[in-house]
């Protein structure tokens, strides 16, 4: 998928570096980039998270996705703002603020990075 390669290069990563970041076999990632393997939504989601883009970034507008498919892709990921707009989140009886949601997302990302460093595969 050319968009993965373009984004990876734009961010200055080698294919091996991206593969390590997403805990994925670099030879298979190379096949995905060359269009030999179709990426799963889970894989696209991981790459999108690493590079802080929406998963819809990987889908060309000219692919003529149906409304249902577009909605499905949009629902695959929620930013903290989306969470706050779409859900009434409560914690201990109080509404969760945007700042709290952003903090929790950042905390989870840092936790994931730390775990990957501790338990490399």
């Amino acid at each position: 998928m050319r968009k993965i390669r373009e984004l990876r290069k734009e961010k200055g990563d080698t294919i091996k570096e991206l593969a390590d970041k997403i805990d994925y076999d670099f030879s298979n990632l190379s096949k995905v980039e060359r269009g030999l393997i179709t990426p799963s939504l889970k894989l696209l989601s991981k790459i999108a998270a690493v590079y802080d883009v929406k998963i819809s970034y990987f889908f060309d507008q000219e692919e003529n996705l149906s409304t249902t498919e577009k909605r499905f892709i949009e629902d695959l990921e929620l930013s903290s703002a989306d969470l706050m707009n779409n859900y009434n989140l409560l914690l201990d009886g109080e509404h969760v603020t945007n700042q709290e949601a952003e903090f929790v997302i950042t905390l989870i990302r840092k936790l994931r990075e730390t775990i990957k460093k501790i338990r490399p595969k």
Side-chain angles (χ1 to χ4, degrees):
M1 190 170 219
R2 68 177 170 71
K3 287 203 163 204
I4 295 172
R5 178 182 293 141
E6 290 170 2
L7 183 60
R8 175 181 58 75
K9 288 185 175 186
E10 177 185 312
K11 299 296 182 175
D13 282 338
T14 65
I15 200 159
K16 177 76 170 114
E17 289 169 332
L18 176 56
D20 288 344
K21 289 178 181 180
I22 61 172
D23 192 28
Y24 194 77
D25 178 69
F26 80 93
S27 63
N28 283 336
L29 185 56
S30 174
K31 291 175 185 174
V32 168
E33 283 191 357
R34 291 181 285 144
L36 302 175
I37 296 177
T38 302
S40 67
L41 290 174
K42 183 177 179 180
L43 176 62
L44 292 176
S45 180
K46 286 181 176 184
I47 296 169
V50 165
Y51 292 135
D52 197 28
V53 297
K54 290 193 172 266
I55 199 167
S56 57
Y57 168 88
F58 299 110
F59 298 94
D60 291 330
Q61 293 174 345
E62 59 269 5
E63 283 185 331
N64 297 324
L65 299 174
S66 72
T67 303
T68 303
E69 290 167 325
K70 288 177 186 175
R71 196 172 305 126
F72 175 75
I73 291 168
E74 289 169 3
D75 287 344
L76 286 175
E77 59 189 341
L78 291 173
S79 67
S80 59
D82 293 333
L83 282 171
M84 303 313 292
N85 290 333
N86 295 337
Y87 302 97
N88 185 19
L89 301 176
L90 296 174
L91 179 63
D92 300 329
E94 296 180 32
H95 290 279
V96 175
T97 67
N98 285 342
Q99 186 177 8
E100 290 170 331
E102 283 293 333
F103 176 77
V104 169
I105 290 169
T106 301
L107 184 65
I108 291 169
R109 285 183 177 142
K110 292 294 182 186
L111 181 60
R112 286 178 180 167
E113 287 175 22
T114 302
I115 289 171
K116 285 179 183 177
K117 287 177 185 174
I118 293 171
R119 295 186 311 186
K121 291 188 177 186

